[in-house]
Amino acid sequence: MKKLIYFFTFSIFILFLSVIIFLSTSGIETSKFNNLIIEQIKKQNKQVNVGFKKIKIKLDLKKFNLFLITQNPKIQYEGTNIPIKEVRVYLKLSSIIKNKPQLNRIVISNNQVDISTIKKIITRSKPSNLKSFFLNNINGGILNKSLIDLKFKDTFVLEDYKINGSFENIEAKLKKNKISKVNFNFIFDKNLILINSIRASYEGINIKNGSIDVKRSKITEIEGNLNSFIDLNEIKINNNEYFKNSKFLFKNKINLKGEILHSFNISLSETLEVLNYKYNAKGKNLYLEYVFNKKIKSNFFENDLKK
């Protein structure tokens, strides 16, 4: 009798373990939840059209929770195709048992998205200073390897979110000058924005590494560090819009090279008014050569000053 009980218990254990392994690896293919996901997405935005080929039920071993997964779904926002790689929809286990499935989390990962596609989506969003800057000043580049993690309350109201990814080869216009080869990683949620591994090129100034942290509350605090390598002459300086009020300094020949570490803090109000700011710069291995077009006579030097 004991052997029979042991055998029965062992069989149940093996069966349970097999189910867990199967759900965590292969999963069960189903179409039962297609309409549920589409309806919930439509509740958030009626302009989004969604189509799924296959949906699988799988098990997240870390959190021991069931989730639905689909690869390369067809998603359109007002006629614009959004290249999504994978969608995971997490369900409350208790709601499945009651046969009233409730979504509490959605995780979306995307393929590479061109800036032109992002512009089409942003065009249909609410007006803002950020939207205006993006549409008018950002020209090229791609959004690469982004992940959107959305968490919901029981009523499918967004409770929390986290988004991370990276931008590559962004081109932006700052007044009449261009900043190119902009690359950076980012992660942000309701309270914090982190940007790191910043690289860019701007009119003889190359940013090799940098980071910016933005803490959002009633007062927004921005803190950043940028490590730049400069290689400037009078032509590059005179072509820079930001030096237009100081061009009298650069009528002569000038060569400026070296490394500069910039650090800054900015405090903004809720209406983005600058409340306070601080900026520091430290130079390293700096070389400056200033060659005058005409020699300068001075009582402090025996010879006329040329360079």
Side-chain angles (χ1 to χ4, degrees):
M1 186 67 180
K2 287 183 179 180
K3 289 184 179 180
L4 184 61
I5 293 173
Y6 288 146
F7 177 76
F8 181 75
T9 304
F10 181 73
S11 299
I12 293 295
F13 174 76
I14 292 298
L15 179 62
F16 180 71
L17 185 62
S18 299
V19 171
I20 290 177
I21 294 173
F22 180 76
L23 285 175
S24 61
T25 53
S26 299
I28 301 172
E29 192 172 313
T30 179
S31 59
K32 182 178 180 180
F33 298 99
N34 288 34
N35 291 333
L36 170 69
I37 297 173
I38 292 172
E39 287 173 6
Q40 297 296 343
I41 292 174
K42 282 287 187 182
K43 284 181 182 179
Q44 293 296 303
N45 196 318
K46 294 181 180 179
Q47 306 302 322
V48 178
N49 293 317
V50 183
F52 302 111
K53 290 182 178 180
K54 295 179 180 179
I55 291 181
K56 286 187 176 182
I57 300 177
K58 299 186 76 173
L59 179 66
D60 187 339
L61 285 176
K62 289 183 179 179
K63 298 184 178 180
F64 205 74
N65 197 8
L66 290 175
F67 65 90
L68 310 177
I69 183 171
T70 181
Q71 305 283 343
N72 302 313
K74 291 183 178 179
I75 298 180
Q76 282 190 340
Y77 178 73
E78 292 195 353
T80 301
N81 292 315
I82 304 175
I84 301 297
K85 180 181 178 181
E86 180 183 277
V87 176
R88 292 190 179 199
V89 178
Y90 289 79
L91 303 169
K92 284 188 175 181
L93 196 57
S94 58
S95 69
I96 296 175
I97 296 172
K98 295 176 183 178
N99 202 26
K100 293 182 179 179
Q102 289 183 353
L103 284 64
N104 62 356
R105 185 183 174 203
I106 296 178
V107 179
I108 302 170
S109 59
N110 73 277
N111 295 313
Q112 288 186 347
V113 184
D114 193 85
I115 289 298
S116 59
T117 300
I118 298 176
K119 278 189 172 185
K120 290 178 183 178
I121 297 170
I122 290 178
T123 301
R124 295 166 175 81
S125 63
K126 294 180 180 179
S128 68
N129 291 334
L130 183 60
K131 171 187 173 181
S132 178
F133 176 83
F134 195 93
L135 293 176
N136 296 324
N137 298 85
I138 305 298
N139 298 317
I142 58 172
L143 170 62
N144 189 32
K145 299 179 182 178
S146 68
L147 186 75
I148 303 172
D149 192 342
L150 310 173
K151 294 181 181 178
F152 302 92
K153 296 180 180 179
D154 294 341
T155 53
F156 204 66
V157 175
L158 186 62
E159 183 178 31
D160 197 8
Y161 65 88
K162 184 176 288 185
I163 302 174
N164 64 68
S166 64
F167 280 100
E168 294 181 3
N169 295 322
I170 299 296
E171 290 188 3
K173 183 173 66 174
L174 300 177
K175 292 189 176 181
K176 293 183 180 180
N177 301 113
K178 288 184 179 181
I179 181 168
S180 59
K181 299 178 182 178
V182 181
N183 298 270
F184 60 87
N185 302 324
F186 66 88
I187 178 170
F188 68 87
D189 55 28
K190 290 192 297 184
N191 304 312
L192 185 67
I193 300 175
L194 300 176
I195 301 173
N196 57 35
S197 300
I198 300 172
R199 289 176 289 126
S201 179
Y202 175 70
E203 301 292 342
I205 301 173
N206 293 312
I207 298 172
K208 297 297 183 182
N209 192 23
S211 64
I212 299 174
D213 298 351
V214 182
K215 297 177 181 177
R216 298 186 290 182
S217 58
K218 288 185 178 180
I219 295 178
T220 299
E221 297 287 346
I222 304 173
E223 181 177 351
N225 294 283
L226 297 172
N227 192 16
S228 66
F229 293 83
I230 56 176
D231 184 4
L232 295 171
N233 57 34
E234 70 280 2
I235 297 173
K236 292 177 182 177
I237 292 173
N238 285 319
N239 287 335
N240 195 310
E241 185 71 13
Y242 288 95
F243 290 111
K244 66 180 181 180
N245 295 324
S246 306
K247 287 186 177 179
F248 67 93
L249 291 173
F250 311 115
K251 290 181 179 179
N252 303 296
K253 291 183 178 180
I254 183 172
N255 286 298
L256 177 60
K257 296 180 181 180
E259 181 180 353
I260 298 179
L261 177 62
H262 313 262
S263 60
F264 55 89
N265 296 83
I266 306 172
S267 299
L268 302 176
S269 68
E270 291 183 275
T271 58
L272 301 183
E273 177 188 359
V274 177
L275 302 175
N276 194 15
Y277 69 91
K278 183 179 180 182
Y279 170 76
N280 289 311
K282 292 182 180 180
K284 182 180 178 182
N285 298 324
L286 289 177
Y287 169 80
L288 172 63
E289 182 183 58
Y290 199 89
V291 182
F292 299 100
N293 292 327
K294 295 181 180 180
K295 291 182 179 182
I296 295 177
K297 293 183 179 181
S298 172
N299 295 328
F300 296 102
F301 302 99
E302 290 185 7
N303 301 317
D304 294 343
L305 189 62
K306 175 64 178 177
K307 181 167 66 172

